[in-house]
Amino acid sequence: MKLLNEWKLQWFEAGEKDPLEVSAPYYIDHFWMAVKVPGDVHSTLLSKNLIKDPFIGHNDLECRWVEEKEWWYRTTFNWDGDCCEEESMELLFEGLDTYATIYLNGVEIGSTANMLVEHSFEVTRELRKGKNVLAVRIDPVHTHIEGKALNYWCSYGKERIWTRKAAMNFGWDWGPRLVSTGIWKDVVLVKRSKTRLAGVFTMTTELQKGLAKVEVDIEVSHPSWMKESLYVVAELRSGEDIFSGRAKIYRKKGVMTITVPDPRLWWTHDLGEPHLYEMTVSLIDEQGNVLDSRVDDVGIRTVQVEQKHENGENLFAFNLNGVRMFAKGANWIPVHNFIGSADEGRYTKLLELAKDAHMNMMRVWGGGIYEKEIFYKECNRLGILVWQDFMFANALYPDYNKNFMVNVEDEITKVVKRLRNHACLAIWCGNNEIDWIYDRKKSDGEITTPFYGEKIYHELIPEVLEEHDRSRLYWPSSPYGSYQDGDLDSEEMGDRHNWVVWHGNVEPRKVGEPVVQDISLEGVSFKNYKKDLTLFSSEFGMHASANRYTLSKYIPEGEFYWKSDEMAYRNKDHFHEKGILLMEGFSGVPTDIEEYMNYSMLTQAEGLKYGIEHYRRRKPFTSGALIWQFNDCWPGTSWSLMDYELLPKASFYYARKFFDPILATIDHDPGKPLRISIVNDKLQDLKDTVVFEVMTFDGRQLFLKEVDFTVIGNGVQELANFTEEEVLDGVNPSEVVIRLRSKRGNFKENAYYLRDYKDINYPKTKLSVGRHEEEATVTITADRLARFVKLDILQGEVICSDNFFDLMPGESKTIQLWHLKGEDIDLERVSISAMNSESSMIEKGQKGGVDIEPSIF
């Protein structure tokens, strides 16, 4: 029975009211505001015009008072059920944010101090027939940390050292401080058998040709209530196929193995079908009565992390069902600052877009939440692996405090038991960057305390996993894996965060050495990616502007211009000059808002392409590239590929190409040879012909070469190399474009330039545009090379079949547009431009056969 209706909300000063008075059934709450549950306080206040939209301008600063108040929720519900001696009634809160006290019919039944996990309370005696009154008091964070030590290292809001809630609520370098509160998940009244399933864990223990063995571990609570033997029966079903097992419960535990002939395996979407079986587990007594049961979707698959190659070299490669794969994906942050109000559709849209960009792994970053169930179910369905951080990020945590550690142990145990059956879950990771940064800051003298929190990642979590999930690798931190005296971000072992690019970190360094940053043109340049010989790059990236629609919607009138205070407020990173330096090194420094949006997006997209193609050419000795970051939680300027309004940045459309399972790539630096390679992530051998073509910007062909090749499945092969002199025929290298094409259509076309954008004098090109409203398509033709053709869309959630692309001289391209909610798209509001298009010209388009005048920048 979900208790989601007729909730009311009110605030008081902390400690102002007697809680037993406000929670009493007779208390009059008629004048409280109606509120949605699940949800959050900020979203409620916004919907009732009691606060201004925190995402517009500086309005977030006007909302700070919300985190200072005591918030009360109240509801009434009717219960007419019954409960026998062998049963109990539980009140389950799947998510309370954060310091909450619960009252049922005026009786305090318990309190919580953890946003990140569920909390249940037995209420069998306190529940009444008929009307019941449920009240929840949520205290402000500051009342629970008064007198606590806050004088050691913690980034972005030291309250979070002691507070088990989403760290990003206190602000981060990509989002504002908005300390949420509320009932952010479902509230459920549930009847349970006192003897019930307390845990079910399904794992594939053996996988061989034509056969799989699936072990089912069962934990039972309160078996002493039964005076007879208990059994557990499990059924694994796929269509008409049913495989089953049976075990007797002994000392609260039961275990069985189900043999599955000719299993249908769960794969990532790029390697096969992510097939799911339905697993039903039932607890029964000697007479066959079902006391409890549960149903899960499970996948038959094995996942390991290989750390040694056959030749003895180090690796960090995920192996799925015996296949050593290249992990392609991104880091995932909460989908919204107000997590409780984010609808499930936002998860589905984002993850389907990730799959569309050929991503096969998402890293759930350790400063957010253990995601909602919809996230993991969608990853199961779509065939996307999950790197799962525990929620500890960029801080020292008080592992010396017994009460804190009891809270953390409860959190870790609940999280592991909740998530371990998901086929998508590939690895557990203890924290984000804490081990690495502790050494860096201790070396600089900024940290003088012991490594508080070390007991969590290096003692507590491994112990919990040893008991509850021994099927996956546990990795203590990210990055992690020092080699001899190299630091924990070493490229020689484990995973790495490459923040040479953007942050200007000078590496390699050794443990204990001073930290050096080079925030200069060369120091932050994305050309540094090619120096990186990491085994697995689990974080790297650079900023780009959000799309025009997203920025202009949330920036106050008159402030939408380059270097306005409001534009600067969108960027929460330190040292804004890093982004300027990156653009200065590649595209040039922007002089207005148009150039900023274009230059930052181009630099991010080309920089990620440069790095990821390098990483993929090194396969298998680099075996993963997870971009920082995939999504945004508010309409800001950040490292994301998708902006807050679910409009892709240029880098998303580039990712569709540089993450494609088959990649034709050129390794080149100015004045050096052009080395052509094919990367084949598919399991089948690939036979094709690559067409290597060099042309001037007006379409004159300078060089053409066709190279036949066969690349083994899951392999990389260098095909040919040419000098600049060979391919240029005397033409200046800044005046040509190069493209690689598949003669058989097996891989996407890839375009290259021999010099950086700022060093190329592109000729003005004329774009002809045809718009077709009924088909929701746009056809674009260029008379000369059109660099970075952009469809600027003034609607949210609109996706294109391609965008931010280069159009070759004299060629046409038809772009399909669609809306993620199925809404109509107003093509008249879609502006088409190229970086080198004639800004003053107007071209004719077609709208249902009628000429229209499209706007061209």
Side-chain angles (χ1 to χ4, degrees):
M1 177 182 177
K2 288 188 178 182
L3 307 180
L4 305 182
N5 299 319
E6 299 183 10
W7 283 91
K8 293 186 175 183
L9 177 70
Q10 185 57 276
W11 78 85
F12 303 104
E13 298 300 326
E16 173 188 353
K17 293 288 186 179
D18 179 357
L20 293 181
E21 176 190 354
V22 181
S23 64
Y26 57 76
Y27 184 83
I28 298 174
D29 58 16
H30 300 337
F31 303 106
W32 289 22
M33 53 189 131
V35 62
K36 291 181 180 179
V37 169
D40 66 273
V41 167
H42 283 87
S43 297
T44 300
L45 298 176
L46 180 60
S47 71
K48 300 182 185 306
N49 297 315
L50 294 174
I51 59 172
K52 298 176 183 177
D53 189 336
F55 291 171
I56 293 177
H58 284 60
N59 290 346
D60 58 306
L61 299 179
E62 295 186 25
C63 298
R64 287 287 180 90
W65 65 270
V66 176
E67 67 177 84
E68 300 296 325
K69 305 302 180 184
E70 176 181 294
W71 293 93
W72 279 83
Y73 285 79
R74 280 174 56 100
T75 190
T76 60
F77 63 92
N78 288 306
W79 183 71
D80 297 316
D82 52 22
C83 193
C84 65
E85 185 182 4
E86 291 80 19
E87 296 172 328
S88 64
M89 298 301 299
E90 286 190 9
L91 192 57
L92 173 65
F93 289 87
E94 294 182 357
L96 284 168
D97 184 8
T98 294
Y99 294 109
T101 306
I102 296 90
Y103 304 85
L104 181 60
N105 297 320
V107 176
E108 180 182 330
I109 61 172
S111 60
T112 72
N114 198 313
M115 170 192 181
L116 303 170
V117 291
E118 69 278 9
H119 303 278
S120 63
F121 306 91
E122 196 205 326
V123 293
T124 309
R125 293 185 306 171
E126 288 66 46
L127 202 59
R128 299 173 180 173
K129 288 275 190 179
K131 180 181 176 181
N132 291 264
V133 177
L134 177 61
V136 179
R137 186 188 84 232
I138 304 180
D139 300 332
V141 169
H142 71 84
T143 62
H144 287 263
I145 61 169
E146 290 172 357
K148 303 288 189 184
L150 301 174
N151 60 345
Y152 45 85
W153 170 57
C154 174
S155 303
Y156 313 110
K158 292 200 171 187
E159 305 99 318
R160 68 184 186 85
I161 291 173
W162 293 89
T163 305
R164 298 306 299 148
K165 94 185 242 77
M168 50 81 71
N169 284 173
F170 298 93
W172 217 265
D173 56 7
W174 35 259
R177 178 188 174 108
L178 286 164
V179 181
S180 64
T181 191
I183 302 174
W184 72 282
K185 285 188 177 182
D186 287 346
V187 183
V188 185
L189 181 66
V190 58
K191 180 190 291 187
R192 299 192 189 276
S193 170
K194 290 184 178 179
T195 303
R196 63 179 182 272
L197 296 169
V200 175
F201 180 35
T202 303
M203 60 180 171
T204 305
T205 55
E206 185 177 334
L207 196 60
Q208 52 184 279
K209 189 174 182 179
L211 184 72
K213 291 186 178 180
V214 178
E215 182 178 303
V216 186
D217 291 354
I218 300 96
E219 181 183 354
V220 175
S221 66
H222 299 297
S224 58
W225 278 87
M226 304 299 296
K227 296 180 173 59
E228 52 187 283
S229 297
L230 296 175
Y231 301 87
V232 65
V233 174
E235 285 189 348
L236 197 61
R237 180 189 295 270
S238 177
E240 299 298 318
D241 296 326
I242 301 176
F243 311 98
S244 62
R246 180 183 173 97
K248 186 175 182 178
I249 298 300
Y250 180 69
R251 292 186 177 176
K252 297 187 178 182
K253 302 284 187 178
V255 62
M256 71 182 74
T257 298
I258 300 175
T259 300
V260 183
D262 299 320
R264 298 177 65 183
L265 303 184
W266 186 93
W267 292 95
T268 51
H269 62 86
D270 53 333
L271 296 178
E273 178 195 3
H275 184 77
L276 294 169
Y277 287 79
E278 183 182 86
M279 171 70 82
T280 302
V281 177
S282 301
L283 180 65
I284 60 175
D285 61 19
E286 289 180 336
Q287 288 72 44
N289 298 310
V290 176
L291 305 177
D292 195 13
S293 66
R294 60 177 285 173
V295 180
D296 292 296
D297 289 331
V298 301
I300 296 178
R301 94 290 180 272
T302 57
V303 179
Q304 290 90 32
V305 179
E306 298 179 82
Q307 297 186 57
K308 281 292 180 183
H309 191 266
E310 302 86 77
N311 66 9
E313 292 186 55
N314 288 336
L315 285 180
F316 196 89
F318 285 84
N319 185 303
L320 178 64
N321 300 328
V323 174
R324 180 184 293 154
M325 58 183 288
F326 193 101
K328 297 173 287 192
N331 287 256
W332 177 278
I333 66 170
V335 300
H336 202 286
N337 265 100
F338 305 131
I339 300 166
S341 298
D343 66 276
E344 292 191 348
R346 192 171 181 88
Y347 285 86
T348 298
K349 293 167 191 173
L350 282 166
L351 289 169
E352 286 182 343
L353 287 167
K355 178 185 175 183
D356 183 49
H358 307 290
M359 297 185 184
N360 59 23
M361 180 175 283
M362 282 286 157
R363 175 182 174 227
V364 179
W365 168 75
I369 59 171
Y370 307 103
E371 270 298 353
K372 296 179 182 179
E373 201 66 12
I374 182 67
F375 172 85
Y376 302 99
K377 287 184 176 180
E378 287 296 275
C379 287
N380 290 340
R381 178 180 69 88
L382 295 169
I384 298 173
L385 287 170
V386 173
W387 173 307
Q388 179 66 57
D389 281 7
F390 288 96
M391 293 301 115
F392 302 92
N394 302 67
L396 299 179
Y397 291 89
D399 59 358
Y400 52 81
N401 183 278
K402 182 177 180 179
N403 293 338
F404 181 83
M405 290 297 281
V406 168
N407 190 1
V408 168
E409 182 174 7
D410 179 66
E411 172 189 322
I412 300 303
T413 303
K414 285 176 176 176
V415 167
V416 171
K417 294 176 76 171
R418 177 168 81 90
L419 300 184
R420 61 186 175 178
N421 283 315
H422 288 292
C424 62
L425 190 62
I427 186 173
W428 296 105
C429 180
N431 68 68
N432 176 74
E433 296 188 340
I434 296 175
D435 291 58
W436 171 48
I437 296 180
Y438 177 78
D439 169 63
R440 290 169 64 88
K441 290 187 177 292
K442 187 176 182 182
S443 300
D444 274 0
E446 185 177 340
I447 292 179
T448 58
T449 66
F451 185 2
Y452 295 139
E454 184 177 25
K455 292 179 181 179
I456 300 172
Y457 330 121
H458 297 277
E459 296 178 21
L460 174 60
I461 297 177
E463 289 172 1
V464 173
L465 287 170
E466 177 64 27
E467 180 178 359
H468 296 295
D469 183 6
R470 60 190 185 279
S471 70
R472 296 173 176 90
L473 176 68
Y474 171 64
W475 201 239
S477 183
S478 181
Y480 193 80
S482 62
Y483 182 74
Q484 295 178 352
D485 57 351
D487 81 355
L488 292 172
D489 202 33
S490 167
E491 66 183 19
E492 298 171 295
M493 202 173 173
D495 73 312
R496 186 181 189 208
H497 292 187
N498 185 330
W499 290 117
V500 175
V501 179
W502 184 265
H503 287 308
N505 291 352
V506 176
E507 296 182 357
R509 65 176 284 275
K510 295 182 179 179
V511 170
E513 287 185 344
V515 174
V516 180
Q517 285 185 295
D518 179 10
I519 301 178
S520 68
L521 219 62
E522 294 76 21
V524 304
S525 170
F526 66 68
K527 301 295 178 65
N528 288 307
Y529 282 136
K530 201 179 287 188
K531 302 174 186 176
D532 187 7
L533 305 183
T534 179
L535 305 180
F536 192 103
S537 190
S538 51
E539 260 197 39
F540 64 101
M542 60 201 81
H543 267 208
S545 170
N547 287 276
R548 176 195 310 277
Y549 172 76
T550 302
L551 286 177
S552 61
K553 182 176 178 179
Y554 295 95
I555 290 179
E557 187 176 354
E559 291 290 324
F560 186 53
Y561 62 88
W562 176 230
K563 290 192 174 181
S564 73
D565 287 344
E566 291 294 350
M567 276 296 300
Y569 197 65
R570 302 288 103 188
N571 183 354
K572 299 303 182 185
D573 187 33
H574 303 299
F575 306 117
H576 287 193
E577 63 267 28
K578 288 179 288 190
I580 301 296
L581 288 168
L582 261 167
M583 290 184 284
E584 182 180 352
F586 180 72
S587 64
V589 177
T591 59
D592 57 33
I593 191 69
E594 296 294 333
E595 286 189 342
Y596 166 65
M597 289 186 291
N598 285 333
Y599 286 5
S600 66
M601 282 208 200
L602 176 69
T603 302
Q604 183 195 47
E606 290 286 349
L608 290 175
K609 174 185 176 182
Y610 186 89
I612 288 165
E613 290 192 357
H614 160 70
Y615 290 144
R616 292 189 67 188
R617 286 191 297 265
R618 281 185 39 79
K619 163 182 167 170
F621 297 103
T622 297
S623 287
L626 305 182
I627 299 166
W628 183 268
Q629 64 210 63
F630 185 62
N631 57 309
D632 266 336
C633 63
W634 84 303
T637 297
S638 79
W639 294 263
S640 71
L641 277 64
M642 296 291 302
D643 77 21
Y644 171 75
E645 290 289 337
L646 301 192
L647 286 173
K649 299 180 184 180
S651 52
F652 172 85
Y653 291 101
Y654 271 55
R656 282 179 170 172
K657 300 165 187 174
F658 60 60
F659 274 156
D660 193 275
I662 300 173
L663 172 70
T665 173
I666 297 176
D667 180 8
H668 171 261
D669 291 306
K672 303 293 184 181
L674 293 84
R675 309 173 73 91
I676 305 170
S677 298
I678 301 292
V679 181
N680 180 15
D681 286 346
K682 293 188 175 181
L683 303 185
Q684 303 78 30
D685 294 352
L686 174 67
K687 186 175 183 179
D688 200 348
T689 301
V690 63
V691 181
F692 175 83
E693 183 180 18
V694 183
M695 70 179 81
T696 62
F697 295 150
D698 60 4
R700 181 165 64 93
Q701 190 178 85
L702 302 176
F703 186 86
L704 180 69
K705 185 74 172 179
E706 296 186 0
V707 182
D708 298 330
F709 67 86
T710 300
V711 180
I712 62 170
N714 209 15
V716 181
Q717 184 174 325
E718 184 174 324
L719 303 184
N721 67 83
F722 305 98
T723 65
E724 287 189 357
E725 291 76 13
E726 283 181 88
V727 304
L728 287 174
D729 193 27
V731 174
N732 190 302
S734 66
E735 297 175 355
V736 303
V737 59
I738 300 172
R739 65 173 169 180
L740 300 177
R741 292 183 287 117
S742 165
K743 201 162 187 179
R744 298 185 182 181
N746 284 312
F747 51 85
K748 290 182 171 66
E749 182 178 297
N750 206 349
Y752 292 88
Y753 300 86
L754 299 181
R755 298 297 183 265
D756 291 339
Y757 179 85
K758 64 181 173 56
D759 299 320
I760 297 176
N761 184 21
Y762 292 97
K764 290 298 181 182
T765 186
K766 182 178 180 181
L767 299 181
S768 300
V769 179
R771 302 166 189 249
H772 310 278
E773 292 280 358
E774 291 184 4
E775 296 85 3
T777 62
V778 175
T779 300
I780 307 167
T781 305
D783 66 336
R784 297 180 181 182
L785 173 88
R787 185 72 164 106
F788 209 58
V789 177
K790 175 173 70 171
L791 283 73
D792 205 355
I793 299 160
L794 299 182
Q795 287 177 265
E797 303 196 19
V798 176
I799 310 298
C800 303
S801 57
D802 201 3
N803 202 353
F804 304 96
F805 55 88
D806 294 351
L807 194 55
M808 296 300 146
E811 296 186 1
S812 296
K813 191 165 190 174
T814 297
I815 306 300
Q816 179 76 54
L817 294 85
W818 66 93
H819 197 285
L820 294 177
K821 291 182 180 176
E823 297 176 6
D824 292 336
I825 299 170
D826 185 357
L827 289 187
E828 292 188 73
R829 299 183 68 204
V830 178
S831 301
I832 295 96
S833 65
M835 298 274 270
N836 60 324
S837 60
E838 296 179 7
S839 59
S840 61
M841 67 154 193
I842 298 293
E843 289 296 335
K844 293 275 185 163
Q846 292 291 321
K847 180 181 178 183
V850 179
D851 287 346
I852 62 169
E853 298 282 325
S855 59
I856 304 287
F857 295 122

